[in-house]
Amino acid sequence: NPADGVLLHTKTFYPAGAFRLPTGGIHIGEAVTATLAREIFEETGLILGAEMGQVQVQRFLGVLAYSLRHPQLGNAPFATYHFLVRMPDGATLTPQDPEESISAWQWQPANDLAAVADQLEQVGQESALWADWGRFRALSHRFVARQLA
């Protein structure tokens, strides 16, 4: 919501202070736009559509592609598709998938996304797993910040 900024979330199992943009995985054979609608519903309980009271796509921001390296499995291509969506005014967020474990939401000004990326890069520095996760998640925040600038 441009008046309030961008919506971030955290999960019960994330390190303290780790808020990030909502994301989701594409199922085999699923179209990207179908994934977007499904993930919006699973994470917020809201419906993607063109009608009043529904989440609306404002624009496609782009794709960030990477090669993930695993010590035993080698390299794996990975891509994140980024969309700018607008939530309906006064929407109540009700996650529908309990496995998401969303514990809190937070609105941040869009121009604070670089600072959010900085925080993610510092999250869990005592754990290699969380440090790698934070650096990986920070990439999308920097990408979106550049697209919205």
Side-chain angles (χ1 to χ4, degrees):
N1 184 324
D4 299 318
V6 293
L7 183 63
L8 306 176
H9 75 291
T10 191
K11 297 187 178 190
T12 57
F13 53 88
Y14 284 178
F19 278 84
R20 68 176 185 88
L21 293 166
T23 60
I26 300 172
H27 294 165
I28 294 173
E30 186 176 39
V32 171
T33 53
T35 299
L36 179 64
R38 178 180 53 76
E39 288 290 343
I40 287 171
F41 180 73
E42 287 177 0
E43 294 188 1
T44 68
L46 300 175
I47 304 294
L48 179 67
E51 297 179 25
M52 274 302 254
Q54 295 179 334
V55 176
Q56 298 179 357
V57 174
Q58 298 294 293
R59 67 183 164 122
F60 175 63
L61 298 176
V63 178
L64 185 58
Y66 350 69
S67 181
L68 300 177
R69 294 187 195 133
H70 187 277
Q72 287 83 30
L73 304 176
N75 291 341
F78 192 87
T80 302
Y81 296 77
H82 299 84
F83 291 86
L84 179 64
V85 300
R86 182 179 180 84
M87 292 178 43
D89 292 336
T92 300
L93 304 176
T94 310
Q96 300 298 302
D97 182 353
E99 291 182 15
E100 290 288 342
S101 301
I102 296 171
S103 59
W105 296 95
Q106 179 182 95
W107 288 99
Q108 288 285 333
N111 59 3
D112 284 355
L113 278 175
V116 171
D118 291 343
Q119 286 178 305
L120 286 169
E121 288 173 342
Q122 298 305 312
V123 150
Q125 289 299 312
E126 68 283 350
S127 161
L129 171 69
W130 284 112
D132 288 345
W133 174 88
R135 286 190 296 271
F136 169 70
R137 291 298 180 189
L139 295 170
S140 277
H141 293 72
R142 293 194 191 288
F143 179 84
V144 171
R146 284 191 303 271
Q147 301 308 310
L148 297 180

